[in-house]
Amino acid sequence: MGANFSSCVCDDGDSSSMRPRLGDIPESCVALVLMYLDPPDICKLARLSRVFRDASFADFVWESKLPLNYKFIMGKALEEDNTSTSVTELGKRDIYARLCKHNLFDNGTKEIWLDKRTGGVCLAISSKALRITGIDDRRYWNHISTEESRFHTVAYLHQIWWLEVEGDIDFQFPEGTYSVYFRLHLGRSSKKLGRRVCKTEHIHGWDMKPVRFQLTTSDSQRAVSHTHLDNPGHWILCHVGNFVSKSSNNLMNIKFSLTQIDCTHTKGGLCVDSVLICNSSIDVKKEV
């Protein structure tokens, strides 16, 4: 009997044809494994075979990667979409992929996206969405176009005594800790003969006293920091502070400000690009 069994298995002389292959693994089992991997790794494995590719489209694989309030976030992402795309028409993988793109909303003055690896939420708020004292007076401020901003424009300060930049946003932040930053630049950069140059003649007054940054939330969280602005010719991220969202479904109001209101001296030569609000698990330097 043992001889008969052996002859059945090895009858054609090609034992390699009996070995299990990737394509033999049930799609449902592959999907269960993919569910525990990070999104970039899922996408890499999806290239291995048709079974892995099909398994990577399973909704339950991506359900755990999406924020709990992804429908609210998707609503913001589709706010300026002209294709009439509906969330109900998309699979969870397609939703995740769409949210990992940089999506403009609020008339192009704000941008939202998810970090590809962690699924953490990032927001950027343009200088045009901020309240800047004296912004309408060309003696003090003006908006200049630049390729160095995701919004293609920054607010440039020539000179002023009273520096005050404020902003706020209402948003449903997924549960977690978030960090708030101002993206600033001392000097006015431009291109000359294809090379980046930075004009520094207006830079003054920043070494005398620090700039004050502040954030407050609608649930009474508060943070204050002080920084001397330096490093002309380079974009810097000034950390305002952190806040915690305890519920994904609650609308939070976040207020933030940058001030230097000591009127004993003027200050100038500052570019204000944007405010960034990112989940604290994200390396924010990679996002700018």
Side-chain angles (χ1 to χ4, degrees):
M1 182 176 178
N4 290 336
F5 179 78
S6 177
S7 64
C8 288
V9 172
C10 303
D11 191 39
D12 61 359
D14 185 9
S15 60
S16 63
S17 64
M18 304 301 292
R19 295 174 184 170
R21 300 176 180 178
L22 284 176
D24 298 328
I25 306 175
E27 183 181 311
S28 58
C29 294
V30 174
L32 285 171
V33 174
L34 296 181
M35 184 173 64
Y36 293 97
L37 302 180
D38 291 332
D41 296 327
I42 295 174
C43 294
K44 290 177 183 177
L45 289 175
R47 303 191 189 107
L48 288 177
S49 70
R50 181 183 60 80
V51 172
F52 274 74
R53 183 180 65 81
D54 292 345
S56 72
F57 280 91
D59 275 352
F60 72 84
V61 171
W62 297 95
E63 191 88 46
S64 60
K65 315 301 179 189
L66 287 166
L68 292 177
N69 62 342
Y70 72 87
K71 290 183 180 179
F72 170 84
I73 299 173
M74 194 64 175
K76 294 291 185 184
L78 296 176
E79 192 172 287
E80 299 192 10
D81 190 304
N82 297 321
T83 61
S84 300
T85 303
S86 171
V87 177
T88 57
E89 298 173 356
L90 300 174
K92 297 298 190 295
R93 173 174 161 153
D94 293 329
I95 291 175
Y96 193 90
R98 175 57 188 263
L99 291 179
C100 286
K101 296 180 180 179
H102 290 244
N103 302 281
L104 292 170
F105 67 101
D106 197 9
N107 295 318
T109 62
K110 299 181 179 69
E111 196 173 63
I112 185 169
W113 69 98
L114 299 186
D115 177 68
K116 290 181 180 179
R117 179 164 293 278
T118 67
V121 170
C122 295
L123 283 167
I125 303 165
S126 166
S127 60
K128 286 195 171 182
L130 304 177
R131 298 182 296 277
I132 302 176
T133 300
I135 190 64
D136 296 324
D137 193 327
R138 291 293 184 90
R139 294 175 300 172
Y140 306 128
W141 293 89
N142 68 304
H143 288 287
I144 58 175
S145 299
T146 175
E147 296 178 357
E148 297 183 5
S149 168
R150 68 177 70 247
F151 298 103
H152 307 292
T153 183
V154 298
Y156 180 69
L157 172 65
H158 296 284
Q159 174 175 291
I160 205 165
W161 293 88
W162 183 285
L163 174 65
E164 190 170 30
V165 181
E166 299 177 328
D168 70 291
I169 187 170
D170 293 307
F171 199 82
Q172 291 181 10
F173 291 93
E175 292 182 15
T177 301
Y178 293 83
S179 300
V180 181
Y181 301 86
F182 271 87
R183 186 171 186 257
L184 308 173
H185 183 282
L186 286 179
R188 179 172 178 171
S189 64
S190 60
K191 288 285 185 68
K192 188 174 183 179
L193 299 177
R195 299 181 62 184
R196 184 181 190 270
V197 295
C198 183
K199 298 178 180 179
T200 60
E201 63 267 24
H202 291 147
I203 301 175
H204 69 281
W206 306 109
D207 56 341
M208 301 183 69
K209 288 196 174 180
V211 172
R212 185 177 190 267
F213 299 95
Q214 179 175 300
L215 80 83
T216 58
T217 69
S218 52
D219 60 354
S220 301
Q221 298 179 62
R222 184 172 180 269
V224 177
S225 62
H226 297 81
T227 303
H228 276 96
L229 300 185
D230 56 11
N231 204 12
H234 297 84
W235 286 101
I236 55 176
L237 289 174
C238 295
H239 185 219
V240 181
N242 296 342
F243 67 90
V244 177
S245 173
K246 297 178 181 178
S247 174
S248 301
N249 297 317
N250 289 346
L251 199 64
M252 289 186 72
N253 176 258
I254 312 298
K255 294 181 179 179
F256 35 83
S257 64
L258 174 166
T259 56
Q260 218 287 25
I261 54 178
D262 183 345
C263 292
T264 60
H265 66 282
T266 62
K267 37 266 175 186
L270 175 68
C271 287
V272 178
D273 172 38
S274 58
V275 172
L276 294 173
I277 304 176
C278 294
N279 188 286
S280 296
S281 65
I282 298 171
D283 184 355
V284 70
K285 291 182 180 179
K286 294 182 178 180
E287 301 298 330
V288 297

